Amino acid sequence: MTTLSIVALTVAVWGQRLLGGFVVGPVLARRPAMAQVLGLVPAAVVMAVIVQLSVADGRSLVLDERLAGMLVAGVLVWRRAPFLAVVLAAALTTAGLRAI
Amino acid sequence: MTDDQPRHGRADSAALALTFFSLGITLQVLLIDRGASLWNALAASTVIWSATSQFSYLAVRDAGGGDWAAIIAGAVVATRFGILATSLVPRLPAGAFRRALASVNAFDPNVAIAVQQADERCVEREFWRVTAAMMGGWFPGIVVGTFIGNVVGDIGRLGLDAVFPAALLSIIAGLLRTREGFAAGLAGACICLALIPIAPPGVPIILSVFGVGAGAVYAKRHIGVGP
């Protein structure tokens, strides 16, 4: 990672945690509706990161072994499997299909 | 809020430490594979304190995005930690320094256990117990990952590129189980899918934040709360 990116991400990550705890938190305590909407941000953004990591190759969409691994992970998450089982199954599925 | 007070037992701590150990290894192997030096990889994963931001940064760079696009994408996904801190900090004992120290360590597992404590005196203690388990896995993991990075070879052959998206899915599973969370997640995924072929790298992740609109509309229509 570039030095710029390490510094900038450190500021962004630490800063947002402090901002959340000390500035946004007290405001949200009085505004439950806003708190609820803000609480949905991670669902939207993290799903986008998952899409980027599992079906994108550069700027094109590709359906490959990663997607199969993610589908297996999705079923296991839905069935409330433990974290390590989900991660291992995704890696093994992806690696296994590539080995064929 | 439930009346029972969930505690983090030894087995939970061990599983969590193992989880963060494996995530740390995966991230470092990926960083080394992308050409990072040993010290660069170690420094990045020690100070940034958000694997999600690092993986998002790498994903945008892999897609051909510039440094700033990747940084902004990494910053946008870190909103998750800011939001976690909003629910943690009001439950902590007074004292700006103690609160600040806890808030910069806000992750999903430690905040989840801490805010479930009905007894206010237990919130801070349980938070740090879970945090200790995470750190106990993470730091050895990034050290091991950094030094085996060069010998692992092809990360694709081991399926390591599937580890982090699967881990993220598991982390936000609780949110996706609520209908408004599912609506927001689905919308965020669709926005990203639609924009990847047409928008510059990084932009699909940044704009996915508008997926909350779908969740908010759902919450307003069906639950009766919302803006």
Side-chain angles (χ1 to χ4, degrees), chain A residues 1-2 5 10 13-14 16-18 20-22 36 38 41 43-45 47-49 59 77 80 83-84 87 90 94-95 98, chain B residues 18-19 40 47-49 67 75 77 79 82-83 85-86 103-104 106-107 156-157 161-162 177 185 197-199 208 212 225:
Chain A
M1 299 179 73
T2 60
S5 72
T10 303
V13 172
W14 289 60
Q16 286 189 84
R17 284 193 175 114
L18 291 170
F22 288 87
Q36 199 199 12
L38 206 58
V41 170
V45 175
M47 281 303 291
V49 175
R59 289 177 63 180
V77 165
R80 298 176 192 268
F83 183 93
L84 280 175
V87 168
T94 306
R98 281 185 182 136
Chain B
L18 196 57
T19 297
N40 179 283
V47 301
I48 294 176
W49 216 211
D67 214 27
V77 298
T79 49
I83 290 162
T86 63
S103 78
V104 295
F107 282 94
R157 198 170 50 84
D161 49 343
R177 280 182 205 288
I198 56 172
S208 71
V212 294
V225 287

Side-chain angles (χ1 to χ4, degrees), chain A residues 1-10 12-26 28-29 32-61 64-66 69-70 73-84 86-88 90-92 94-96 98-99, chain B residues 18-19 22 31 36 40 44 47-50 53-54 56-57 59 63 67-68 71 74-83 85-86 89 96 99-100 103-107 156-159 161-173 175-177 180-181 184-185 188-189 192-193 196-199 201 205 208-209 211-212 215-216 219 225-227:
Chain A
M1 299 179 73
T2 60
T3 307
L4 170 70
S5 72
I6 295 177
V7 173
L9 283 177
T10 303
V13 172
W14 289 60
Q16 286 189 84
R17 284 193 175 114
L18 291 170
L19 199 68
F22 288 87
V23 182
V24 183
L28 291 187
M34 196 200 279
Q36 199 199 12
V37 172
L38 206 58
L40 299 175
V41 170
V45 175
V46 171
M47 281 303 291
V49 175
I50 291 170
V51 164
Q52 179 83 45
L53 291 172
S54 54
V55 295
D57 183 13
R59 289 177 63 180
S60 48
L61 298 173
D64 60 12
E65 298 87 351
R66 287 174 301 170
M70 281 309 292
V75 171
L76 287 176
V77 165
W78 176 49
R79 304 296 303 167
R80 298 176 192 268
F83 183 93
L84 280 175
V86 173
V87 168
L88 272 179
L92 289 176
T94 306
R98 281 185 182 136
Chain B
L18 196 57
T19 297
S22 55
L31 281 169
N40 179 283
V47 301
I48 294 176
W49 216 211
S50 159
S53 293
Q54 287 174 272
S56 307
Y57 172 85
D67 214 27
W68 276 110
I71 289 167
V76 166
V77 298
T79 49
R80 181 171 118 239
F81 298 115
I83 290 162
T86 63
V89 172
R99 287 183 159 199
S103 78
V104 295
N105 285 292
F107 282 94
R157 198 170 50 84
L158 298 172
D161 49 343
V163 165
F164 201 67
L168 279 178
L169 190 64
S170 192
I171 285 168
I172 59 159
L175 196 47
L176 294 179
R177 280 182 205 288
E180 63 275 22
C192 187
L193 262 181
I196 283 172
I198 56 172
I205 290 176
S208 71
V209 71
V212 294
V225 287

Side-chain angles (χ1 to χ4, degrees), chain B residues 96-188:
Chain B
F97 180 72
R98 283 165 85 179
R99 287 183 159 199
L101 201 61
S103 78
V104 295
N105 285 292
F107 282 94
D108 307 77
N110 53 9
V111 173
I113 295 287
V115 301
Q116 283 179 68
Q117 303 301 314
D119 185 345
E120 295 297 328
R121 290 166 300 183
C122 299
V123 173
E124 194 180 32
R125 192 192 65 209
E126 289 303 306
F127 175 82
W128 285 113
R129 266 163 49 118
V130 182
T131 308
M134 289 165 24
M135 289 182 174
W138 178 255
F139 288 107
I142 64 170
V143 171
V144 171
T146 303
F147 288 100
I148 66 167
N150 282 320
V151 296
V152 167
D154 183 7
I155 60 165
R157 198 170 50 84
L158 298 172
L160 288 183
D161 49 343
V163 165
F164 201 67
L168 279 178
L169 190 64
S170 192
I171 285 168
I172 59 159
L175 196 47
L176 294 179
R177 280 182 205 288
T178 67
R179 293 192 173 187
E180 63 275 22
F182 185 81
L186 189 64

